[in-house]
Amino acid sequence: MGELTQLIKQHYRNISEGHIERDRDLMSDDMIHISATAGTVTGIEAFLAFVTAFKQAFPDLHWEMREFIEGSDTVVAEGLFIGTNSGTMVGPRGPIPATDRRVELPFCDIWKVRNGRIVENRIYYDQVTFLGQLGLMTSP
């Protein structure tokens, strides 16, 4: 397993263990996160705020990782996000009360690393499945 993959695995550990501030040691100050939930989040402070809010919405969150594929400056991570929505979520239209529902959501993360620091993260997942598992949307 490569050096970049170890960096990404540490990020997942930091979040699941509630040590979100430790991501400061892994990420560049101007890192960019792009997801369906958050849109584009720019900068370490905004990213840490987003992740903190997500961890509050899913306090027991963790990942079952299936595969890591490492290139020269990129890591693709595939896995299953697992957590119970027992805290308020922040949505595009404001706060969403906890549903107390468990989510098991397949996802794919693409990470870019430069000079030993994470500079970009793009996450892909099925938003309809996510909202359906939360009971916020009926699946088609």
Side-chain angles (χ1 to χ4, degrees):
M1 182 174 343
E3 184 177 315
L4 303 184
T5 299
Q6 291 297 340
L7 188 69
I8 302 312
K9 284 185 169 186
Q10 184 60 52
H11 160 73
Y12 291 122
R13 279 191 301 274
N14 289 348
I15 306 311
S16 63
E17 294 171 2
H19 302 298
I20 295 166
E21 285 294 316
R22 291 183 186 169
D23 267 7
R24 290 183 188 281
D25 298 332
L26 310 177
M27 301 190 172
S28 72
D29 289 341
D30 60 348
M31 77 90 56
I32 296 170
H33 166 82
I34 301 169
S35 68
T37 303
T40 300
V41 174
T42 305
I44 187 67
E45 298 304 325
F47 178 75
L48 293 177
F50 166 72
V51 173
T52 298
F54 200 73
K55 175 71 172 167
Q56 289 170 349
F58 295 88
D60 65 345
L61 72 78
H62 64 283
W63 292 270
E64 287 182 7
M65 301 310 295
R66 294 183 177 150
E67 185 162 12
F68 290 92
I69 301 168
E70 184 173 324
S72 60
D73 69 347
T74 304
V75 175
V76 177
E78 179 190 15
L80 187 67
F81 166 77
I82 301 169
T84 307
N85 177 222
S86 56
T88 301
M89 282 189 299
V90 178
R93 296 184 183 153
I96 302 168
T99 64
D100 292 317
R101 290 186 177 215
R102 181 176 167 88
V103 171
E104 292 189 14
L105 185 69
F107 73 95
C108 183
D109 264 331
I110 300 174
W111 300 91
K112 294 281 187 185
V113 180
R114 282 191 205 98
N115 301 319
R117 295 231 179 229
I118 297 168
V119 295
E120 184 177 305
N121 167 236
R122 295 175 185 261
I123 184 167
Y124 298 94
Y125 61 93
D126 184 344
Q127 184 80 347
V128 172
T129 298
F130 180 61
L131 294 173
Q133 288 183 14
L134 290 170
L136 301 172
M137 178 179 195
T138 54
S139 297

